[in-house]
C-alpha cells in the first residue's frame, strides 16, 4: 500500500555500490515521485578525479552537495522527491538538508565491505573504481537518524521496509490533558506527522486520543492510540516521545510502560513540570538503557502550548539535535524572530530553569496582587480604573504579560459585580514555588521575594483562621496619601530585585551542577511564549551578555536609585496603613542588605563564637584564621 506521505525529500544514502540508484528508482516508481541520482550532478572535475582513483575531498564535494540541496528545495516547492547521494559524513548530510530541516528523511542502505564489494564486482560501467571503496568505508559515519535497511535483502523487501517506515509518525506524545492536547495541535498544525496516546481506563478514559483527533481538522494526519505498544511501534526510529503527564509518579509509571517497546537511541522528552532532581535521576536511569532523556520546561499554559510556548530543554546535547526541529518549530519567536527554544544544559538543567521561571512568576503575580490591593483599598480605585492604569503602565517599560492579563481580569464583570470580588481569596499551588524556595535555600541564594510570594499563598490558604483573626483584631486599613506614581515605581523596583534573585539562583545552580548556563540566552527564551515575558526581560537579554550581576549594571543602578524613595515611602505607608505587602517589603529589605558594606553579621559571628565556640574572623584578615574569645 502506498503510504500517506508528509511532503519531504527522501535521501537514499550509502557507500558506492550499495544500490542507491536501483532502490531510489524503484521507490520513486512505487510512490509516484521524481527521482534524482546524485551522480548526475557531479561536475566533470569530480568525475575525472574519481575515475583516476583519487577520492574526493570536502572542497570537491561542497558544490555538488549544494547543487543537490538546491534540487531538494526546488522540488519541495512542488512535492516530495527522492534523491540518491552517498552523503557518508554527518557534515555532508547537514549540507544536503540545510534549510529543509523538518522536511527530509535519510534512508541508509547498509552493508558490510564484503557484501558491497561483491555487488560492485558484479557491475560494469560505473565510474567509481573498486579501489575507492575502502576510502568510502573509512569516510562513512553511519547516520543515527535514518531508516536503516540491509542491502542483503531483496529490493522488494527493502522497498516494503522503507514504505513501512515512511508510514510511521515522526513524533509521539503521551498524555492528552490540557497541555498535551495543545502541543499535539501545534505540532500537527506545523505539518508534523504525530502519534498521540492517552491511557485507557474502563468506563472513565476511553478512546480519548481518537475522540480528540476527530474534533480538530489539523489532526487529520495524526494517529490516535490507547494501547502503548501500538503507539510506540507507530513511531519512526530513533523514536521521539514526549510525555505531558502530571509530574511525579506518573512520569516514572509511563517510562516503565514504554520501556519494553523502546530501542537503543530512542529519546524520551518530559515536558511536564518535573522536579529537576527527578529529571537528573531519570536521565541517568535511561542512559544505562541506551535511551536519551530530555527534561524540557514548557511555559505558556494552554494557549501558549497551542500558539507557541517558551521551551527550556535540558539533557543530552546529541539527543537535542534530533528533536530540535520539532521543538524550535512549535515554540514562540523572540523579537528578532528566533525560536524561544534552544539547548540549555545537561541533565536536569531544563527543568531547573523552568522551576526558577515559575519562582519568578510567583513573585511577579504576588507583586501585582499587592499593588492591586494598595490601589483598590489604599487609593480607593475601582477595578476598571486600575485596569486603565495597568494598561497605561503596559505602554512603557513595565509592560508584561501578567500585567496585561491582570487588566483584563479587572474589567470582567458577573452581573453587576466585578468578577474579581466574587473569587475566593485562597491561592493554590502545584509545588514549583516550594521547590524553588528549597533549591534557593540549599544553594545559599537569598531568594527572598519568591519565598515571600510562596508564603503569601500559604497564608491565603488559612482562610478560616484569617477570618477568626480578622474578627479578633479588626484591622482597619488606612487610606494611602502617597501618589500613585510612587506605587508604580515601588513595583518597578521590586521587579528588578525579583529578577536579580531568580538569575542569581540560576547562576549558582549552574556553578554547582557544572551546567554552564547562559543567562542571556535563558532570558531570550523568556522574551515570548512564557508567563513571565515582559519588556524588562527583553532589557536583560543584551545586558546579561556583559554583566554578571544586574544590580551592578549602571543602567539598572540608575533605575533602582530613581525608584528607591518611592519603594521606601510605599512600604512605610503601607505598613502604617496595615497592608500586607510581603514581596514589596522583601525586595526593599534585600536591597538594603545587599548594598551594606558593613552589615550586622559581625554580631552573628560574635554570638556564634559565644555560645558555640565557632570562632570569628576579623576585618583586618577576612580570609585568615578563626579567632576565639573567652566571652565569660
Ligand atoms: P492535565 O491534568 O490536564 O493532564 C495530565 C495528563 O496526564 C492526562 O492526559 C492524564 O491522563 C495523564 N496521566 C496522568 N497520570 C497518568 C499515568 N499514571 N499514566 C498515564 N497517563 C497519566 O495536566 P496538564 O496538561 O495541565 O499538565 C501536564 C504537565 O505539564 C504537568 O506536569 C504540568 O505541571 C505541566 N505544565 C502545565 C501547564 C499548564 O498551564 N496546565 C503549563 C506548563 C507545564 P488521564 O486523562 O487519563 O487522567
Amino acid at each position: 500500500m502506498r503510504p500517506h506521505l508528509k511532503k519531504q525529500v527522501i535521501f537514499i544514502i550509502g557507500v558506492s555500490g550499495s544500490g542507491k540508484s536501483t532502490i531510489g528508482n524503484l521507490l520513486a516508481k512505487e510512490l509516484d515521485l521524481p527521482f534524482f541520482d546524485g551522480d548526475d550532478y557531479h561536475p566533470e572535475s569530480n568525475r575525472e578525479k574519481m575515475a583516476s582513483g583519487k577520492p574526493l575531498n570536502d572542497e570537491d564535494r561542497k558544490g555538488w552537495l549544494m547543487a543537490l540541496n538546491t534540487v531538494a528545495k526546488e522540488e519541495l516547492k512542488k512535492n516530495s522527491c527522492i534523491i540518491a547521494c552517498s552523503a557518508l559524513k554527518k557534515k555532508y548530510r547537514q549540507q544536503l538538508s540545510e534549510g529543509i530541516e523538518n522536511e527530509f528523511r535519510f534512508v541508509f542502505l547498509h552493508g558490510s565491505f564484503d557484501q558491497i564489494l561483491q555487488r560492485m564486482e558484479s557491475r560494469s560501467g560505473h565510474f567509481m573504481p573498486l579501489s575507492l571503496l575502502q576510502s568510502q568505508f573509512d569516510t562513512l559515519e553511519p547516520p543515527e537518524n535514518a531508516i536503516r535497511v540491509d542491502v542483503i535483502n531483496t529490493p522488494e523487501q527493502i522497498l516494503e521496509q522503507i514504505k513501512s517506515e515512511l508510514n510511521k509518525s515522526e513524533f509521539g506524545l503521551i498524555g492528552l490533558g490540557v497541555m498535551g492536547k495543545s502541543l499535539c495541535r501545534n505540532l500537527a498544525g506545523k505539518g508534523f506527522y504525530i502519534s498521540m496516546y492517552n491511557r485507557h481506563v474502563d468506563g472513565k478514559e476511553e478512546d480519548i486520543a481518537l475522540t480528540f483527533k476527530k474534533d480538530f481538522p489539523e489532526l487529520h494526519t495524526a494517529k490516535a492510540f490507547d494501547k502503548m505498544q501500538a503507539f510506540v511501534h507507530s513511531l519512526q526510529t530513533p523514536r521521539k516521545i514526549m510525555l505531558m503527564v502530571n509530574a511525579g509518579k506518573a512520569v516514572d509509571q509511563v517510562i516503565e510502560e514504554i520501556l519494553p517497546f523502546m530501542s537503543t537511541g530512542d529519546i524520551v522528552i518530559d515536558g511536564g513540570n518535573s522536579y529537576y532532581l527527578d529529571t537528573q535521576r531519570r536521565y541517568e536511569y535511561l542512559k544505562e538503557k541506551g535511551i536519551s532523556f530530555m527534561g524540557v520546561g514548557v511555559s505558556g499554559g494552554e494557549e501558549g502550548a497551542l500558539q507557541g510556548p517558551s521551551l527550556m530543554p535540558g539533557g543530552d546535547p546529541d539527543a537535542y539535535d534530533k528533536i530540535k526541529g520539532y521543538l524550535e518549530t512549535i515554540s514562540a519567536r523572540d523579537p528578532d524572530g528566533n525560536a524561544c527554544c534552544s539547548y540549555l544544559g545537561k541533565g536536569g538543567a531544563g527543568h531547573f530553569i523552568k522551576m526558577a521561571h515559575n519562582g519568578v512568576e510567583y513573585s511577579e503575580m504576588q507583586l501585582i496582587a499587592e499593588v492591586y490591593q494598595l490601589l483598590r483599598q489604599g487609593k480607593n480605585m475601582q477595578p476598571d480604573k486600575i485596569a486603565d492604569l495597568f494598561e497605561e503602565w503596559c505602554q512603557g517599560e513595565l509592560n508584561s504579560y501578567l500585567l496585561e492579563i491582570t487588566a483584563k481580569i479587572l474589567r470582567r464583570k458577573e452581573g453587576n459585580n466585578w468578577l474579581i470580588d466574587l473569587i475566593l481569596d485562597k491561592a493554590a499551588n502545584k509545588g514549583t514555588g516550594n521547590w524553588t524556595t528549597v533549591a534557593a535555600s540549599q544553594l545559599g541564594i537569598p531568594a527572598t521575594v519568591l519565598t515571600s510570594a510562596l508564603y503569601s499563598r500559604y497564608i491565603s490558604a488559612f482562610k478560616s483562621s484569617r477570618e477568626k483573626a480578622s474578627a479578633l483584631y479588626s484591622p482597619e486599613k488606612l487610606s494611602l496619601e502617597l501618589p500613585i506614581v510612587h506605587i508604580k515605581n515601588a513595583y518597578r523596583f521590586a521587579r528588578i530585585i525579583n529578577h536579580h534573585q531568580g538569575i542569581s539562583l540560576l547562576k549558582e545552580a549552574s556553578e554547582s551542577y557544572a551546567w554552564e548556563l547562559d543567562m542571556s540566552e535563558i532570558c531570550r527564551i523568556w522574551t515570548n511564549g512564557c508567563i513571565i515575558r515582559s519588556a524588562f526581560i527583553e532589557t536583560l537579554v543584551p545586558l546579561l551578555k556583559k554583566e554578571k550581576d544586574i544590580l551592578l549594571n549602571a543602567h539598572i543602578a540608575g533605575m533602582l536609585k530613581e525608584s528607591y524613595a518611592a519603594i521606601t515611602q510605599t512600604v512605610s505607608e503601607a505598613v502604617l496603613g496595615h497592608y500586607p505587602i510581603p514581596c514589596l517589603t522583601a525586595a526593599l529589605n534585600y536591597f538594603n542588605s545587599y548594598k551594606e558594606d558593613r552589615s550586622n553579621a559581625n554580631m552573628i559571628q560574635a554570638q556564634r563564637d559565644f555560645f558555640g565556640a565557632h570562632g570569628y574572623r576579623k576585618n583586618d584578615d577576612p580570609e585568615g584564621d578563626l579567632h576565639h574569645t573567652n566571652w565569660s
Side-chain angles (χ1 to χ4, degrees), residues 373-392:
Q373 189 179 19
L374 295 182
L375 294 168
R376 182 84 194 269
Q377 298 175 336
K379 301 301 288 180
N380 200 21
M381 287 173 75
Q382 285 303 294
D384 55 344
K385 295 292 166 224
I386 302 175
D388 291 344
L389 186 69
F390 285 175
E391 277 172 5
E392 189 192 308

mmCIF file with all atom_site columns, all heavy atoms in Angstrom, residues 373-392:
data_model
loop_
_atom_site.group_PDB
_atom_site.id
_atom_site.type_symbol
_atom_site.label_atom_id
_atom_site.label_alt_id
_atom_site.label_comp_id
_atom_site.label_asym_id
_atom_site.label_entity_id
_atom_site.label_seq_id
_atom_site.pdbx_PDB_ins_code
_atom_site.Cartn_x
_atom_site.Cartn_y
_atom_site.Cartn_z
_atom_site.occupancy
_atom_site.B_iso_or_equiv
_atom_site.pdbx_formal_charge
_atom_site.auth_seq_id
_atom_site.auth_comp_id
_atom_site.auth_asym_id
_atom_site.auth_atom_id
_atom_site.pdbx_PDB_model_num
ATOM 1   N N   . GLN A 1 373 ? -3.992  45.630 45.640 1.00 0.00 ? 373 GLN A N   1
ATOM 2   C CA  . GLN A 1 373 ? -4.655  45.881 46.931 1.00 0.00 ? 373 GLN A CA  1
ATOM 3   C C   . GLN A 1 373 ? -4.407  47.324 47.408 1.00 0.00 ? 373 GLN A C   1
ATOM 4   O O   . GLN A 1 373 ? -5.315  47.990 47.917 1.00 0.00 ? 373 GLN A O   1
ATOM 5   C CB  . GLN A 1 373 ? -4.168  44.879 47.986 1.00 0.00 ? 373 GLN A CB  1
ATOM 6   C CG  . GLN A 1 373 ? -4.995  44.966 49.264 1.00 0.00 ? 373 GLN A CG  1
ATOM 7   C CD  . GLN A 1 373 ? -4.558  43.978 50.334 1.00 0.00 ? 373 GLN A CD  1
ATOM 8   O OE1 . GLN A 1 373 ? -3.447  43.452 50.299 1.00 0.00 ? 373 GLN A OE1 1
ATOM 9   N NE2 . GLN A 1 373 ? -5.435  43.747 51.309 1.00 0.00 ? 373 GLN A NE2 1
ATOM 10  N N   . LEU A 1 374 ? -3.171  47.797 47.214 1.00 0.00 ? 374 LEU A N   1
ATOM 11  C CA  . LEU A 1 374 ? -2.864  49.174 47.629 1.00 0.00 ? 374 LEU A CA  1
ATOM 12  C C   . LEU A 1 374 ? -3.728  50.165 46.842 1.00 0.00 ? 374 LEU A C   1
ATOM 13  O O   . LEU A 1 374 ? -4.232  51.149 47.399 1.00 0.00 ? 374 LEU A O   1
ATOM 14  C CB  . LEU A 1 374 ? -1.385  49.489 47.421 1.00 0.00 ? 374 LEU A CB  1
ATOM 15  C CG  . LEU A 1 374 ? -0.384  48.687 48.281 1.00 0.00 ? 374 LEU A CG  1
ATOM 16  C CD1 . LEU A 1 374 ? 1.047   49.145 48.006 1.00 0.00 ? 374 LEU A CD1 1
ATOM 17  C CD2 . LEU A 1 374 ? -0.696  48.813 49.771 1.00 0.00 ? 374 LEU A CD2 1
ATOM 18  N N   . LEU A 1 375 ? -3.895  49.904 45.556 1.00 0.00 ? 375 LEU A N   1
ATOM 19  C CA  . LEU A 1 375 ? -4.682  50.821 44.721 1.00 0.00 ? 375 LEU A CA  1
ATOM 20  C C   . LEU A 1 375 ? -6.175  50.711 45.037 1.00 0.00 ? 375 LEU A C   1
ATOM 21  O O   . LEU A 1 375 ? -6.885  51.710 45.132 1.00 0.00 ? 375 LEU A O   1
ATOM 22  C CB  . LEU A 1 375 ? -4.440  50.526 43.234 1.00 0.00 ? 375 LEU A CB  1
ATOM 23  C CG  . LEU A 1 375 ? -3.016  50.797 42.729 1.00 0.00 ? 375 LEU A CG  1
ATOM 24  C CD1 . LEU A 1 375 ? -2.815  50.199 41.334 1.00 0.00 ? 375 LEU A CD1 1
ATOM 25  C CD2 . LEU A 1 375 ? -2.727  52.309 42.702 1.00 0.00 ? 375 LEU A CD2 1
ATOM 26  N N   . ARG A 1 376 ? -6.622  49.488 45.221 1.00 0.00 ? 376 ARG A N   1
ATOM 27  C CA  . ARG A 1 376 ? -8.061  49.262 45.428 1.00 0.00 ? 376 ARG A CA  1
ATOM 28  C C   . ARG A 1 376 ? -8.507  49.804 46.781 1.00 0.00 ? 376 ARG A C   1
ATOM 29  O O   . ARG A 1 376 ? -9.476  50.546 46.900 1.00 0.00 ? 376 ARG A O   1
ATOM 30  C CB  . ARG A 1 376 ? -8.334  47.751 45.339 1.00 0.00 ? 376 ARG A CB  1
ATOM 31  C CG  . ARG A 1 376 ? -9.798  47.352 45.480 1.00 0.00 ? 376 ARG A CG  1
ATOM 32  C CD  . ARG A 1 376 ? -10.498 47.460 44.141 1.00 0.00 ? 376 ARG A CD  1
ATOM 33  N NE  . ARG A 1 376 ? -11.949 47.417 44.252 1.00 0.00 ? 376 ARG A NE  1
ATOM 34  C CZ  . ARG A 1 376 ? -12.685 46.319 44.191 1.00 0.00 ? 376 ARG A CZ  1
ATOM 35  N NH1 . ARG A 1 376 ? -12.096 45.161 44.006 1.00 0.00 ? 376 ARG A NH1 1
ATOM 36  N NH2 . ARG A 1 376 ? -13.998 46.390 44.292 1.00 0.00 ? 376 ARG A NH2 1
ATOM 37  N N   . GLN A 1 377 ? -7.768  49.400 47.836 1.00 0.00 ? 377 GLN A N   1
ATOM 38  C CA  . GLN A 1 377 ? -8.201  49.777 49.190 1.00 0.00 ? 377 GLN A CA  1
ATOM 39  C C   . GLN A 1 377 ? -7.525  51.067 49.670 1.00 0.00 ? 377 GLN A C   1
ATOM 40  O O   . GLN A 1 377 ? -8.155  51.901 50.305 1.00 0.00 ? 377 GLN A O   1
ATOM 41  C CB  . GLN A 1 377 ? -7.911  48.639 50.174 1.00 0.00 ? 377 GLN A CB  1
ATOM 42  C CG  . GLN A 1 377 ? -8.695  47.381 49.806 1.00 0.00 ? 377 GLN A CG  1
ATOM 43  C CD  . GLN A 1 377 ? -8.353  46.181 50.671 1.00 0.00 ? 377 GLN A CD  1
ATOM 44  O OE1 . GLN A 1 377 ? -7.272  46.109 51.251 1.00 0.00 ? 377 GLN A OE1 1
ATOM 45  N NE2 . GLN A 1 377 ? -9.270  45.230 50.746 1.00 0.00 ? 377 GLN A NE2 1
ATOM 46  N N   . GLY A 1 378 ? -6.222  51.188 49.361 1.00 0.00 ? 378 GLY A N   1
ATOM 47  C CA  . GLY A 1 378 ? -5.493  52.366 49.856 1.00 0.00 ? 378 GLY A CA  1
ATOM 48  C C   . GLY A 1 378 ? -5.823  53.622 49.071 1.00 0.00 ? 378 GLY A C   1
ATOM 49  O O   . GLY A 1 378 ? -5.883  54.722 49.618 1.00 0.00 ? 378 GLY A O   1
ATOM 50  N N   . LYS A 1 379 ? -6.034  53.461 47.752 1.00 0.00 ? 379 LYS A N   1
ATOM 51  C CA  . LYS A 1 379 ? -6.331  54.631 46.913 1.00 0.00 ? 379 LYS A CA  1
ATOM 52  C C   . LYS A 1 379 ? -7.789  54.632 46.457 1.00 0.00 ? 379 LYS A C   1
ATOM 53  O O   . LYS A 1 379 ? -8.178  55.467 45.629 1.00 0.00 ? 379 LYS A O   1
ATOM 54  C CB  . LYS A 1 379 ? -5.417  54.661 45.671 1.00 0.00 ? 379 LYS A CB  1
ATOM 55  C CG  . LYS A 1 379 ? -3.937  54.698 45.955 1.00 0.00 ? 379 LYS A CG  1
ATOM 56  C CD  . LYS A 1 379 ? -3.444  55.880 46.773 1.00 0.00 ? 379 LYS A CD  1
ATOM 57  C CE  . LYS A 1 379 ? -3.435  57.190 46.068 1.00 0.00 ? 379 LYS A CE  1
ATOM 58  N NZ  . LYS A 1 379 ? -2.941  58.293 46.949 1.00 0.00 ? 379 LYS A NZ  1
ATOM 59  N N   . ASN A 1 380 ? -8.554  53.662 46.969 1.00 0.00 ? 380 ASN A N   1
ATOM 60  C CA  . ASN A 1 380 ? -10.000 53.603 46.705 1.00 0.00 ? 380 ASN A CA  1
ATOM 61  C C   . ASN A 1 380 ? -10.344 53.625 45.205 1.00 0.00 ? 380 ASN A C   1
ATOM 62  O O   . ASN A 1 380 ? -11.253 54.332 44.765 1.00 0.00 ? 380 ASN A O   1
ATOM 63  C CB  . ASN A 1 380 ? -10.689 54.769 47.430 1.00 0.00 ? 380 ASN A CB  1
ATOM 64  C CG  . ASN A 1 380 ? -12.167 54.500 47.596 1.00 0.00 ? 380 ASN A CG  1
ATOM 65  O OD1 . ASN A 1 380 ? -12.591 53.345 47.542 1.00 0.00 ? 380 ASN A OD1 1
ATOM 66  N ND2 . ASN A 1 380 ? -12.950 55.552 47.761 1.00 0.00 ? 380 ASN A ND2 1
ATOM 67  N N   . MET A 1 381 ? -9.576  52.893 44.422 1.00 0.00 ? 381 MET A N   1
ATOM 68  C CA  . MET A 1 381 ? -9.831  52.858 42.973 1.00 0.00 ? 381 MET A CA  1
ATOM 69  C C   . MET A 1 381 ? -10.688 51.646 42.619 1.00 0.00 ? 381 MET A C   1
ATOM 70  O O   . MET A 1 381 ? -10.474 50.551 43.155 1.00 0.00 ? 381 MET A O   1
ATOM 71  C CB  . MET A 1 381 ? -8.506  52.775 42.196 1.00 0.00 ? 381 MET A CB  1
ATOM 72  C CG  . MET A 1 381 ? -7.717  54.060 42.206 1.00 0.00 ? 381 MET A CG  1
ATOM 73  S SD  . MET A 1 381 ? -6.094  53.834 41.458 1.00 0.00 ? 381 MET A SD  1
ATOM 74  C CE  . MET A 1 381 ? -6.492  53.766 39.716 1.00 0.00 ? 381 MET A CE  1
ATOM 75  N N   . GLN A 1 382 ? -11.609 51.825 41.698 1.00 0.00 ? 382 GLN A N   1
ATOM 76  C CA  . GLN A 1 382 ? -12.437 50.714 41.223 1.00 0.00 ? 382 GLN A CA  1
ATOM 77  C C   . GLN A 1 382 ? -11.612 49.854 40.242 1.00 0.00 ? 382 GLN A C   1
ATOM 78  O O   . GLN A 1 382 ? -10.693 50.364 39.576 1.00 0.00 ? 382 GLN A O   1
ATOM 79  C CB  . GLN A 1 382 ? -13.680 51.253 40.522 1.00 0.00 ? 382 GLN A CB  1
ATOM 80  C CG  . GLN A 1 382 ? -14.720 51.803 41.480 1.00 0.00 ? 382 GLN A CG  1
ATOM 81  C CD  . GLN A 1 382 ? -15.153 50.742 42.502 1.00 0.00 ? 382 GLN A CD  1
ATOM 82  O OE1 . GLN A 1 382 ? -15.759 49.751 42.154 1.00 0.00 ? 382 GLN A OE1 1
ATOM 83  N NE2 . GLN A 1 382 ? -14.819 50.955 43.781 1.00 0.00 ? 382 GLN A NE2 1
ATOM 84  N N   . PRO A 1 383 ? -11.976 48.562 40.111 1.00 0.00 ? 383 PRO A N   1
ATOM 85  C CA  . PRO A 1 383 ? -11.196 47.673 39.244 1.00 0.00 ? 383 PRO A CA  1
ATOM 86  C C   . PRO A 1 383 ? -10.987 48.208 37.826 1.00 0.00 ? 383 PRO A C   1
ATOM 87  O O   . PRO A 1 383 ? -9.890  48.087 37.275 1.00 0.00 ? 383 PRO A O   1
ATOM 88  C CB  . PRO A 1 383 ? -12.016 46.380 39.237 1.00 0.00 ? 383 PRO A CB  1
ATOM 89  C CG  . PRO A 1 383 ? -12.666 46.376 40.576 1.00 0.00 ? 383 PRO A CG  1
ATOM 90  C CD  . PRO A 1 383 ? -12.989 47.810 40.874 1.00 0.00 ? 383 PRO A CD  1
ATOM 91  N N   . ASP A 1 384 ? -12.036 48.817 37.217 1.00 0.00 ? 384 ASP A N   1
ATOM 92  C CA  . ASP A 1 384 ? -11.842 49.277 35.835 1.00 0.00 ? 384 ASP A CA  1
ATOM 93  C C   . ASP A 1 384 ? -10.838 50.423 35.763 1.00 0.00 ? 384 ASP A C   1
ATOM 94  O O   . ASP A 1 384 ? -10.100 50.568 34.790 1.00 0.00 ? 384 ASP A O   1
ATOM 95  C CB  . ASP A 1 384 ? -13.171 49.648 35.177 1.00 0.00 ? 384 ASP A CB  1
ATOM 96  C CG  . ASP A 1 384 ? -13.955 50.674 35.971 1.00 0.00 ? 384 ASP A CG  1
ATOM 97  O OD1 . ASP A 1 384 ? -13.641 50.887 37.165 1.00 0.00 ? 384 ASP A OD1 1
ATOM 98  O OD2 . ASP A 1 384 ? -14.894 51.270 35.401 1.00 0.00 ? 384 ASP A OD2 1
ATOM 99  N N   . LYS A 1 385 ? -10.780 51.227 36.837 1.00 0.00 ? 385 LYS A N   1
ATOM 100 C CA  . LYS A 1 385 ? -9.806  52.333 36.852 1.00 0.00 ? 385 LYS A CA  1
ATOM 101 C C   . LYS A 1 385 ? -8.390  51.760 37.016 1.00 0.00 ? 385 LYS A C   1
ATOM 102 O O   . LYS A 1 385 ? -7.421  52.275 36.430 1.00 0.00 ? 385 LYS A O   1
ATOM 103 C CB  . LYS A 1 385 ? -10.105 53.314 38.007 1.00 0.00 ? 385 LYS A CB  1
ATOM 104 C CG  . LYS A 1 385 ? -11.424 54.027 37.844 1.00 0.00 ? 385 LYS A CG  1
ATOM 105 C CD  . LYS A 1 385 ? -11.373 54.992 36.647 1.00 0.00 ? 385 LYS A CD  1
ATOM 106 C CE  . LYS A 1 385 ? -12.759 55.458 36.265 1.00 0.00 ? 385 LYS A CE  1
ATOM 107 N NZ  . LYS A 1 385 ? -13.054 55.476 34.862 1.00 0.00 ? 385 LYS A NZ  1
ATOM 108 N N   . ILE A 1 386 ? -8.295  50.719 37.831 1.00 0.00 ? 386 ILE A N   1
ATOM 109 C CA  . ILE A 1 386 ? -6.968  50.077 37.995 1.00 0.00 ? 386 ILE A CA  1
ATOM 110 C C   . ILE A 1 386 ? -6.563  49.426 36.669 1.00 0.00 ? 386 ILE A C   1
ATOM 111 O O   . ILE A 1 386 ? -5.398  49.481 36.266 1.00 0.00 ? 386 ILE A O   1
ATOM 112 C CB  . ILE A 1 386 ? -6.993  49.036 39.146 1.00 0.00 ? 386 ILE A CB  1
ATOM 113 C CG1 . ILE A 1 386 ? -7.416  49.711 40.459 1.00 0.00 ? 386 ILE A CG1 1
ATOM 114 C CG2 . ILE A 1 386 ? -5.614  48.398 39.314 1.00 0.00 ? 386 ILE A CG2 1
ATOM 115 C CD1 . ILE A 1 386 ? -7.590  48.779 41.639 1.00 0.00 ? 386 ILE A CD1 1
ATOM 116 N N   . ALA A 1 387 ? -7.547  48.845 35.986 1.00 0.00 ? 387 ALA A N   1
ATOM 117 C CA  . ALA A 1 387 ? -7.259  48.245 34.667 1.00 0.00 ? 387 ALA A CA  1
ATOM 118 C C   . ALA A 1 387 ? -6.720  49.316 33.719 1.00 0.00 ? 387 ALA A C   1
ATOM 119 O O   . ALA A 1 387 ? -5.733  49.103 33.001 1.00 0.00 ? 387 ALA A O   1
ATOM 120 C CB  . ALA A 1 387 ? -8.514  47.602 34.094 1.00 0.00 ? 387 ALA A CB  1
ATOM 121 N N   . ASP A 1 388 ? -7.367  50.507 33.732 1.00 0.00 ? 388 ASP A N   1
ATOM 122 C CA  . ASP A 1 388 ? -6.875  51.618 32.882 1.00 0.00 ? 388 ASP A CA  1
ATOM 123 C C   . ASP A 1 388 ? -5.417  51.923 33.213 1.00 0.00 ? 388 ASP A C   1
ATOM 124 O O   . ASP A 1 388 ? -4.583  52.104 32.329 1.00 0.00 ? 388 ASP A O   1
ATOM 125 C CB  . ASP A 1 388 ? -7.693  52.897 33.124 1.00 0.00 ? 388 ASP A CB  1
ATOM 126 C CG  . ASP A 1 388 ? -9.117  52.780 32.596 1.00 0.00 ? 388 ASP A CG  1
ATOM 127 O OD1 . ASP A 1 388 ? -9.368  51.851 31.795 1.00 0.00 ? 388 ASP A OD1 1
ATOM 128 O OD2 . ASP A 1 388 ? -9.971  53.599 32.997 1.00 0.00 ? 388 ASP A OD2 1
ATOM 129 N N   . LEU A 1 389 ? -5.159  51.995 34.528 1.00 0.00 ? 389 LEU A N   1
ATOM 130 C CA  . LEU A 1 389 ? -3.804  52.341 34.982 1.00 0.00 ? 389 LEU A CA  1
ATOM 131 C C   . LEU A 1 389 ? -2.792  51.279 34.538 1.00 0.00 ? 389 LEU A C   1
ATOM 132 O O   . LEU A 1 389 ? -1.719  51.607 34.010 1.00 0.00 ? 389 LEU A O   1
ATOM 133 C CB  . LEU A 1 389 ? -3.817  52.453 36.512 1.00 0.00 ? 389 LEU A CB  1
ATOM 134 C CG  . LEU A 1 389 ? -2.535  52.948 37.159 1.00 0.00 ? 389 LEU A CG  1
ATOM 135 C CD1 . LEU A 1 389 ? -2.299  54.416 36.830 1.00 0.00 ? 389 LEU A CD1 1
ATOM 136 C CD2 . LEU A 1 389 ? -2.601  52.764 38.681 1.00 0.00 ? 389 LEU A CD2 1
ATOM 137 N N   . PHE A 1 390 ? -3.138  50.006 34.733 1.00 0.00 ? 390 PHE A N   1
ATOM 138 C CA  . PHE A 1 390 ? -2.210  48.928 34.354 1.00 0.00 ? 390 PHE A CA  1
ATOM 139 C C   . PHE A 1 390 ? -1.975  48.934 32.837 1.00 0.00 ? 390 PHE A C   1
ATOM 140 O O   . PHE A 1 390 ? -0.866  48.677 32.375 1.00 0.00 ? 390 PHE A O   1
ATOM 141 C CB  . PHE A 1 390 ? -2.738  47.564 34.813 1.00 0.00 ? 390 PHE A CB  1
ATOM 142 C CG  . PHE A 1 390 ? -2.598  47.321 36.306 1.00 0.00 ? 390 PHE A CG  1
ATOM 143 C CD1 . PHE A 1 390 ? -3.128  46.170 36.898 1.00 0.00 ? 390 PHE A CD1 1
ATOM 144 C CD2 . PHE A 1 390 ? -1.924  48.227 37.127 1.00 0.00 ? 390 PHE A CD2 1
ATOM 145 C CE1 . PHE A 1 390 ? -2.997  45.937 38.266 1.00 0.00 ? 390 PHE A CE1 1
ATOM 146 C CE2 . PHE A 1 390 ? -1.798  48.004 38.499 1.00 0.00 ? 390 PHE A CE2 1
ATOM 147 C CZ  . PHE A 1 390 ? -2.339  46.854 39.067 1.00 0.00 ? 390 PHE A CZ  1
ATOM 148 N N   . GLU A 1 391 ? -3.020  49.229 32.103 1.00 0.00 ? 391 GLU A N   1
ATOM 149 C CA  . GLU A 1 391 ? -2.837  49.295 30.641 1.00 0.00 ? 391 GLU A CA  1
ATOM 150 C C   . GLU A 1 391 ? -1.887  50.425 30.270 1.00 0.00 ? 391 GLU A C   1
ATOM 151 O O   . GLU A 1 391 ? -1.053  50.304 29.371 1.00 0.00 ? 391 GLU A O   1
ATOM 152 C CB  . GLU A 1 391 ? -4.185  49.465 29.946 1.00 0.00 ? 391 GLU A CB  1
ATOM 153 C CG  . GLU A 1 391 ? -4.872  48.130 29.782 1.00 0.00 ? 391 GLU A CG  1
ATOM 154 C CD  . GLU A 1 391 ? -6.294  48.261 29.277 1.00 0.00 ? 391 GLU A CD  1
ATOM 155 O OE1 . GLU A 1 391 ? -6.730  49.384 28.955 1.00 0.00 ? 391 GLU A OE1 1
ATOM 156 O OE2 . GLU A 1 391 ? -6.972  47.217 29.238 1.00 0.00 ? 391 GLU A OE2 1
ATOM 157 N N   . GLU A 1 392 ? -2.021  51.520 31.002 1.00 0.00 ? 392 GLU A N   1
ATOM 158 C CA  . GLU A 1 392 ? -1.107  52.657 30.758 1.00 0.00 ? 392 GLU A CA  1
ATOM 159 C C   . GLU A 1 392 ? 0.336   52.242 31.100 1.00 0.00 ? 392 GLU A C   1
ATOM 160 O O   . GLU A 1 392 ? 1.258   52.525 30.346 1.00 0.00 ? 392 GLU A O   1
ATOM 161 C CB  . GLU A 1 392 ? -1.576  53.810 31.650 1.00 0.00 ? 392 GLU A CB  1
ATOM 162 C CG  . GLU A 1 392 ? -0.918  55.133 31.397 1.00 0.00 ? 392 GLU A CG  1
ATOM 163 C CD  . GLU A 1 392 ? -1.258  56.088 32.537 1.00 0.00 ? 392 GLU A CD  1
ATOM 164 O OE1 . GLU A 1 392 ? -2.445  56.257 32.863 1.00 0.00 ? 392 GLU A OE1 1
ATOM 165 O OE2 . GLU A 1 392 ? -0.295  56.629 33.137 1.00 0.00 ? 392 GLU A OE2 1
#
